[in-house]
DNA sequence: TAGATTGTTAATCGATTAACAATC
DNA sequence: TAGATTGTTAATCGATTAACAATC
């Protein structure tokens, strides 16, 4: 069988769903029953039509004049993203960033549960970081099979990223959340989500250049 | 004066530049003088034409048949992003993620230097996290002015995000790298880069659903 | 009823991709 | 010279935005 490149309908919409989810949970906490796309758009600084289109992919149906039922909308988004059931994951590389992710409580809210961490550094074996035990990387294949874990979060040094990724795939890992700056070369059936902080920093830097530019221009014109 | 929404040419291209930079530095380390867009595209799994378009925004000029000069291309990207000069930044909120970012050495390579951390928790005042001192948040306005710091990295609890952001803007901060899940409401002249891990997780979750779907479909057809 | 909001269908906009002449 | 690669101009693709009938 040939694996087609995974096609996900409207990726930009999928990326915006967590922002809706966060807002909706806040609104739910205040006891609100219904919210209109217009209200949501104002809170998140989006176009009303974009909100309606985004929410439509989850299958939610709203009431004209009234808006969307808040609780049902939360459920619809969580179900759509598969965040209604908890998925177990491994974390590979217990350095600074890895430790921070182990301490981040927000993942559980998104259906992700880090059940074990792995490292190559002997002095870390058996350590517990934020209630998660660190194992030698070599034990991963066995544990992955026994615990039926399909997802790995990679926070390892760039120099080791490719070889460790290959090792993970051999061990049956199907999805990798890649926090290294390396573009991994893996079989087409492996799902890789590249999370590179430098991308966001590039955009921030560029936008700041432009505002600085504007200020300079203004100064010149005076 | 009215501030127009900051317009940055071809944002997707800007986001890809750090990946080119990382690869090019690797190639430079091997002593390579020239690299073609075709070679780069194979390494990063992109279309050759996309590589050429992306690199063109930096102003680099290549040689037909030969490719692009590696060192000059690195310089062109760094200059384009403003990463050739170091910019000082503050980090607000020294929890798990904040500490991890303080320990992350990669920022310096991208022209970002975190000179001080701030927190509201008294027990952290005076502490040093990865060689960076933690100050009371109330000292920020004074230090921002004296040190001419324009950029803040926000790793604070969601519940405090908006009020702290307002405080930062009052203190003269012009750019905020926002690691909270909150959509901040700030004046239009403030540059905000929202870095929400949940966005990437949403995409990963959705893609994994699809592969699982395919596997289920295959199983059914057998 | 009157009117705000939904959801659909069409138009616009911008990014990606294709085609190809210029060039080293 | 021959041919791979660049850079430009045009075509395609997909996401965003607009328009508007349906509806509560």
């Amino acid at each position: 069988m040939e694996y087609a490149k995974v096609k996900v309908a409207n990726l930009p919409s999928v990326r915006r769903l967590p922002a809706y989810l966060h807002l909706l949970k806040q609104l739910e906490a205040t006891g609100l029953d219904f919210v209109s796309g217009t209200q949501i758009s104002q809170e998140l600084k989006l176009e009303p039509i974009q909100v309606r289109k985004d929410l439509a992919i989850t299958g939610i149906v709203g009431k004209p004049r009234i808006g969307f039922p808040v609780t049902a909308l939360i459920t619809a988004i969580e179900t759509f993203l598969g965040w209604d059931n908890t998925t177990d994951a491994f974390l590979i590389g217990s350095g600074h960033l890895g430790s921070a992710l182990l301490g981040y409580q927000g993942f559980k809210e998104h259906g992700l549960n880090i059940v074990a961490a792995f490292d190559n550094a002997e002095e870390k074996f058996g350590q517990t970081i934020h209630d998660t035990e660190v194992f030698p990387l070599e034990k991963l294949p066995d544990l992955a099979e026994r615990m039926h874990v399909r997802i790995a979060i990679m926070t390892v040094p760039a120099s080791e990223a490719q070889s460790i990724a290959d090792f993970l795939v051999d061990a049956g890992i199907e999805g990798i959340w890649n926090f290294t700056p390396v573009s991994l070369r893996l079989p087409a059936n492996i799902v890789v989500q590249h999370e590179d902080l430098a991308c966001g920093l590039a955009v921030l830097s560029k936008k700041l250049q432009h505002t600085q530019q504007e200020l300079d221009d203004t100064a010149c014109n005076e």
Side-chain angles (χ1 to χ4, degrees), chain A:
Chain A
M1 169 187 178
E2 207 204 289
Y3 288 87
K5 216 177 264 183
V6 183
K7 191 81 184 179
V8 179
N10 213 347
L11 223 66
S13 293
V14 173
R15 294 186 66 87
R16 282 188 293 267
L17 289 180
Y20 296 120
L21 198 55
H22 180 78
L23 174 65
L24 289 164
K25 284 182 175 176
Q26 282 187 312
L27 296 176
E28 191 189 38
T30 70
L32 194 73
D33 287 329
F34 282 83
V35 64
S36 73
T38 314
Q39 289 171 276
I40 294 174
S41 73
Q42 284 164 355
E43 288 294 329
L44 300 181
K45 288 169 289 182
L46 301 170
E47 294 297 320
I49 173 64
Q50 187 166 57
V51 172
R52 278 178 276 152
K53 283 269 174 176
D54 286 346
L55 299 183
I57 66 173
T58 69
I60 191 78
V61 174
K63 285 204 207 339
R65 191 76 217 273
I66 310 292
F68 301 89
V70 175
T71 304
L73 184 46
I74 289 173
T75 304
I77 294 175
E78 286 180 336
T79 305
F80 179 79
L81 292 176
W83 289 1
D84 48 346
N85 296 312
T86 299
T87 307
D88 288 342
F90 286 156
L91 183 129
I92 325 297
S94 57
H96 296 317
L97 184 57
S99 301
L101 296 184
L102 287 174
Y104 181 54
Q105 295 305 313
F107 290 148
K108 271 171 199 141
E109 214 181 314
H110 302 139
L112 196 72
N113 184 31
I114 304 178
V115 292
F118 295 87
D119 208 298
N120 270 330
E122 215 169 313
E123 66 271 22
K124 292 196 174 162
F125 300 164
Q127 261 191 24
T128 294
I129 302 178
H130 301 302
D131 299 331
T132 307
E133 193 176 341
V134 182
F135 296 92
L137 187 56
E138 63 198 25
K139 291 216 173 155
L140 186 142
D142 183 45
L143 281 169
E145 194 180 8
R146 282 185 5 215
M147 301 178 80
H148 302 287
V149 172
R150 315 161 53 211
I151 300 177
I153 304 171
M154 275 186 49
T155 51
V156 303
S159 54
E160 301 174 34
Q162 182 63 58
S163 62
I164 289 180
D166 292 336
F167 177 79
L168 295 176
V169 171
D170 276 346
I173 293 295
E174 297 164 28
I176 294 177
W177 201 1
N178 176 24
F179 283 82
T180 80
V182 177
S183 177
L184 300 173
R185 307 185 66 81
L186 296 171
N189 58 324
I190 304 298
V191 172
V192 180
Q193 177 62 23
H194 192 184
E195 202 79 37
D196 192 350
L197 292 187
C199 301
L201 183 56
V203 175
L204 180 68
S205 305
K206 203 63 203 163
K207 285 183 182 167
L208 278 168
Q209 268 182 9
H210 279 243
T211 49
Q212 195 57 51
Q213 190 70 47
E214 272 178 41
L215 292 173
D216 293 348
D217 290 352
T218 310
C220 288
N221 296 340
E222 284 171 357

